[in-house]
Amino acid sequence: MTGRRTALITGANRGIGRAVGFELYRRGLDIVVTARDGHAAAATAAEIGPDVRSCALDVTDSDSVRSACTAVGRVDILVCNAGVLLDAGTDPLSVPLDLVDRTLAVNLLGAWRLAQAFVPDMVRRGWGRVVFVSSGTTAEFGGSLFAGAPGYSVSKAALNGLMTMTAAQTAGSGVLVNAVNPGRARTRMMPAVTRPPEEAARDIADTVTVADSSPTGRFLSGRSR
Ligand SMILES: NC(=O)c1ccc[n+]([C@@H]2O[C@H](COP(=O)([O-])OP(=O)(O)OC[C@H]3O[C@@H](n4cnc5c(N)ncnc54)[C@H](OP(=O)(O)O)[C@@H]3O)[C@@H](O)[C@H]2O)c1
């Protein structure tokens, strides 16, 4: 391939996604900032750098994903970062299931929709990197999920499952698929935390700027690095 790799980031108008945009730009990649609000995406893109592209993209909306796919063209690196935490402080036996439904729509099905839209082309071209931004609430694999945000925890555990299946299906194709727990970072989702989102963004960027010989299908925990 000639030219630079192109990275598309979902939910990149603020928080960790925005910081990932800055970090990957700093590492020399072409960036596409996406956000539900196209104006917010454009404003963030302009802040990152003069040659950074932007696109409106709502991960819950198939038409929006299709339009973004057409408008953006080739994507080599996909960062599925968009996420919501709607059910903090609830428990599995009383959480309103509409909150769980809305959480799964963004955190699981949104990422799944993006993978279906962009990964097949990566496989055809024989090169790609995908990172699903997961969470420590999944207790990695096997252990107890965090029950204080049950819909969120289940959505991220399921996202890890999606990662393993996508990695298995793309194995040997040149596409590496992993999930990252970015660790807690101060964002609108986690306003009381002191760790800056730039630190989480570096862990995510490390996962998508790896060599071709690097592993696929892993759940990486930023805090353990
Ligand atoms: N912060 C932490 O401590 C922490 C820890 C572990 C994992 N994470 C994960 O890190 C990721 C980023 O979280 P954050 O802390 O940066 O949260 P945040 O500041 O709340 O940002 C969430 C981002 O997701 C976007 N989003 C929500 N629904 C969307 C949709 N339907 N389509 C497209 N974008 C959508 C938001 O866009 P709008 O501005 O339009 O709402 C926003 O850009 C999430 O997946 C989260 O679960 C965060």
Side-chain angles (χ1 to χ4, degrees):
M1 196 203 90
T2 54
R4 301 196 304 178
R5 302 289 188 192
T6 297
L8 182 146
I9 307 142
T10 64
N13 53 308
R14 60 185 167 93
I16 292 172
R18 179 177 185 277
V20 170
F22 275 92
E23 181 62 23
L24 291 179
Y25 183 77
R26 197 183 66 73
R27 296 187 189 198
L29 295 166
D30 282 337
I31 306 297
V32 184
V33 170
T34 75
R36 283 195 284 198
D37 176 348
H39 297 295
T44 301
E47 283 175 51
I48 294 174
D51 50 350
V52 173
R53 290 186 288 156
S54 67
C55 190
L57 196 163
D58 181 336
V59 301
T60 64
D61 179 343
S62 298
D63 289 340
S64 167
V65 173
R66 246 190 312 275
S67 304
C69 215
T70 306
V72 169
R74 197 194 81 229
V75 168
D76 306 298
I77 296 170
L78 176 62
V79 181
C80 292
N81 164 79
V84 291
L85 169 58
L86 304 175
D87 62 350
T90 66
D91 68 72
L93 294 182
S94 65
V95 60
L97 289 181
D98 70 301
L99 291 186
V100 178
D101 201 9
R102 284 162 51 203
T103 303
L104 291 170
V106 177
N107 295 7
L108 175 63
L109 294 178
W112 204 327
R113 189 170 286 111
L114 266 287
Q116 290 191 344
F118 289 101
V119 175
D121 263 354
M122 295 179 188
V123 171
R124 273 190 283 279
R125 289 192 305 272
W127 198 95
R129 301 286 183 269
V130 180
V131 62
F132 295 112
V133 179
S134 185
S135 165
T137 58
T138 62
E140 314 226 346
F141 288 109
S144 302
L145 304 189
F146 173 61
Y152 181 84
S153 296
V154 163
S155 76
K156 295 296 188 177
L159 186 65
N160 288 353
L162 173 64
M163 177 276 290
T164 61
M165 291 189 293
T166 311
Q169 196 176 340
T170 56
S173 70
V175 179
L176 304 180
V177 182
N178 292 289
V180 175
N181 164 22
R184 288 176 169 231
R186 188 183 57 251
T187 64
R188 206 177 295 172
M189 186 180 286
M190 285 287 179
V193 174
T194 54
R195 180 170 171 262
E198 288 73 20
E199 276 186 29
R202 281 196 287 277
D203 285 331
I204 293 167
D206 285 348
T207 308
V208 291
T209 52
V210 290
D212 293 347
S213 57
S214 299
T216 189
R218 291 189 310 165
F219 174 63
L220 304 153
S221 192
R223 285 174 300 181
S224 66
R225 286 206 188 112

